[in-house]
Amino acid sequence: MSTIDWKNLPFNYFKTDYNVRCYWRNGKWGELEVSSSEYIIMHMAATSLHYGQEAFEGMKAYTGKDGKVRLFRIEENARRMIDTARYILMPEVPEELFIEAVVKAVKLNAQYIPPYGTGATLYIRPLLIGIGPEVGVRPSKEYLFMVFVTPVGAYFKEGFRPVNMMICREYDRAAPLGTGHVKVGGNYAASLLSMEKAHEAGFSAAIYLDPKEKKYIDESGPANFFGIKNNTYITPASRSILPSITNKSLMELAKDLGMKVERRPVPLEELEEFEETGACGTAAVISPIKSIVDPDTKKIYVYCKDDKPGPVCTRLYEQLTAIQFGEIPDRFGWTKIIDI
Ligand SMILES: *Cc1c(COP(=O)(O)O)cnc(C)c1O
C-alpha cells in the first residue's frame, strides 16, 4: 500500500482487509474464521452490551531494521486476557488460540504493516465479548473472540516528549476490590469523564489515587506510573492497577541496567522526591512527565525543567524500542519474529 502516508498516520482506526473470529458455543471454541466485514452481528440482549462482559488487549507488530516483523511478549497478553476472562466469568481463550489468531490477523493484513523508520506500527486489538442474550444478570452462554489490526502512527510526532498531568481526586477509575486489575472496557467508561476534564484543563492525562485511602498513586488512565530516584525504579503496587506489560519490561530493563527496582505503595508525598517520573504502556512506551499538578493542594511537581525527558526515561525508552524494532539483540527473548 504505497498510498499510505506512514509518517503522518494518527493513533486512530484505519480500515484493513481482514479480521479473524472464533465463537464459543455449546461449551467449546469453534474454528478460527476469517472475515472481511468490519461489523459484528449480535443479539440486542447480548451480555457485552448490557452487563459489560467485555475484555480486550492491545499490542503492536513492529517492522524491524532487518525488515522482519516482530511481536512483543505476546504470551503475556494472552495470559492477561485469560486472567480478565476468569474474573468476569467468560471462557478462557487458550494461549495457543490467542497467538494463532493474532499471527493470522497480522499476516492477512501484511500490506498494512508500516515499514521500518516511519515510527508507525501495526496496532493489534483482540477482544472477547459475551454475545448471547440474557436479560437477567448472568454470564452469557455464547462468546466471540476476535482480532483486528490497524496501522497507527508514532505516538510522539515531534519525538519523545514530556507531558503535563494532573492528580485526580474527584473520580476513581476503579473500586478498591473492583475490576481495576483486569482489562475490561468498563474501567475505561469509568475514566472517560475525568480524562475529558483533564484534557479540558490542558493536561494530557489524569493520575488516579488509590480508591480506598486516596493516599497513594495508582496509575494514569491507560498507562502505569513510575518514578526514579537514587538509581531506583519505583512503581506502585495496588490491587486496582492494571499490570502493564510495558512496565514489567521496564522493571526488568532497569535491573539489567544496574538500577534497583521497587514495586510498593507510592505515597503522594513521594512525588516531591522523584528525579524523573513517567507513564508507560504499549501506545507511547514511555510518556515522560514534565509536571504533575495537584489541583487541591495547588502543589506543582516539576521534573523536566528544560522540556527534555530525563536521562533514565530516555535510556529505558531507547533500550525498549531498540529491542522492539530489532536494532539491538533481544537479550530477554521478548520478541517473536513472524514469517509474513
Ligand atoms: C492496557 C493498560 C495499560 C498498559 O498496559 P501495556 O501492557 O503496557 O500496554 C495500563 N493501564 C491500563 C488501565 C490499561 O488498560
Side-chain angles (χ1 to χ4, degrees):
M1 289 293 281
S2 52
T3 55
I4 301 178
D5 181 8
W6 304 111
K7 286 205 161 117
N8 292 304
L9 272 177
F11 195 93
N12 236 334
Y13 179 77
F14 186 105
K15 188 183 185 303
T16 57
D17 295 339
Y18 303 103
N19 55 80
V20 299
R21 307 176 180 206
C22 191
Y23 292 90
W24 169 275
R25 289 190 185 110
N26 305 316
K28 59 179 197 304
W29 289 110
E31 295 294 320
L32 205 54
E33 301 169 16
V34 175
S35 172
S36 56
S37 169
E38 294 171 275
Y39 297 91
I40 301 167
I41 291 180
M42 72 175 149
H43 199 286
M44 62 186 174
T47 61
S48 53
L49 298 177
H50 299 262
Y51 305 128
Q53 260 200 318
E54 189 267 356
F56 71 100
E57 275 300 328
M59 60 266 213
K60 291 169 169 179
Y62 308 80
T63 304
K65 201 174 180 184
D66 54 8
K68 292 179 177 155
V69 176
R70 286 171 175 78
L71 297 173
F72 183 74
R73 307 193 81 174
I74 185 186
E75 329 71 46
E76 295 284 342
N77 293 94
R79 284 180 213 139
R80 190 166 67 187
M81 189 176 247
I82 288 174
D83 291 341
T84 306
R86 281 188 186 147
Y87 199 73
I88 60 168
L89 302 186
M90 301 195 288
E92 296 167 17
V93 175
E95 195 173 315
E96 313 76 65
L97 173 59
F98 183 96
I99 294 172
E100 187 188 345
V102 168
V103 169
K104 194 161 190 157
V106 172
K107 283 187 170 189
L108 285 166
N109 296 291
Q111 60 174 329
Y112 296 96
I113 309 173
Y116 175 74
T118 58
T121 51
L122 189 71
Y123 186 74
I124 305 167
R125 171 54 60 86
L127 61 149
L128 172 61
I129 56 177
I131 57 169
E134 297 293 342
V135 173
V137 180
R138 65 179 76 86
S140 173
K141 291 178 195 73
E142 291 185 11
Y143 294 85
L144 166 62
F145 165 59
M146 68 180 291
V147 180
F148 70 79
V149 297
T150 191
V152 294
Y155 197 84
F156 296 110
K157 291 275 175 277
E158 322 86 71
F160 181 55
R161 191 175 56 89
V163 296
N164 296 312
M165 299 197 178
M166 65 171 270
I167 300 287
C168 174
R169 291 171 198 273
E170 223 181 329
Y171 305 96
D172 292 313
R173 63 173 279 282
L177 299 175
T179 54
H181 64 303
V182 290
K183 214 165 171 77
V184 297
N187 294 335
Y188 282 80
S191 72
L192 285 177
L193 181 60
S194 47
M195 285 204 314
E196 177 115 327
K197 286 196 166 187
H199 290 157
E200 278 170 3
F203 298 97
S204 79
I207 295 177
Y208 300 95
L209 299 179
D210 79 281
K212 192 170 179 188
E213 298 186 84
K214 300 270 193 199
K215 282 187 184 161
Y216 304 94
I217 306 280
D218 243 20
E219 64 173 317
S220 123
N224 279 188
F225 175 88
F226 66 86
I228 307 290
K229 70 173 185 192
N230 309 324
N231 199 35
T232 309
Y233 180 100
I234 300 161
T235 191
S238 158
R239 164 68 166 72
S240 46
I241 290 179
L242 192 280
S244 151
I245 296 160
T246 312
N247 196 7
K248 186 174 176 173
S249 308
L250 292 174
M251 284 189 257
E252 289 177 53
L253 264 176
K255 254 185 232 159
D256 189 67
L257 296 174
M259 298 178 69
K260 280 189 288 236
V261 171
E262 292 176 11
R263 207 172 145 261
R264 53 156 173 85
V266 175
L268 189 56
E269 302 78 63
E270 203 172 353
L271 287 182
E272 205 107 55
E273 298 167 18
F274 291 130
E275 297 147 17
E276 296 178 38
T277 57
C280 61
T282 296
V285 185
I286 293 176
S287 297
I289 303 175
K290 187 156 120 190
S291 74
I292 301 175
V293 173
D294 187 332
D296 299 276
T297 63
K298 310 278 184 234
K299 275 202 170 145
I300 304 177
Y301 306 91
V302 178
Y303 301 102
C304 307
K305 293 197 180 63
D306 53 0
D307 264 22
K308 277 214 201 70
V312 178
C313 282
T314 305
R315 186 93 202 275
L316 290 170
Y317 177 85
E318 285 173 354
Q319 284 273 316
L320 191 58
T321 52
I323 291 173
Q324 291 168 333
F325 287 105
E327 293 160 356
I328 58 172
D330 172 12
R331 59 192 186 278
F332 301 95
W334 284 340
T335 56
K336 176 184 168 71
I337 292 176
I338 51 179
D339 301 315
I340 296 301

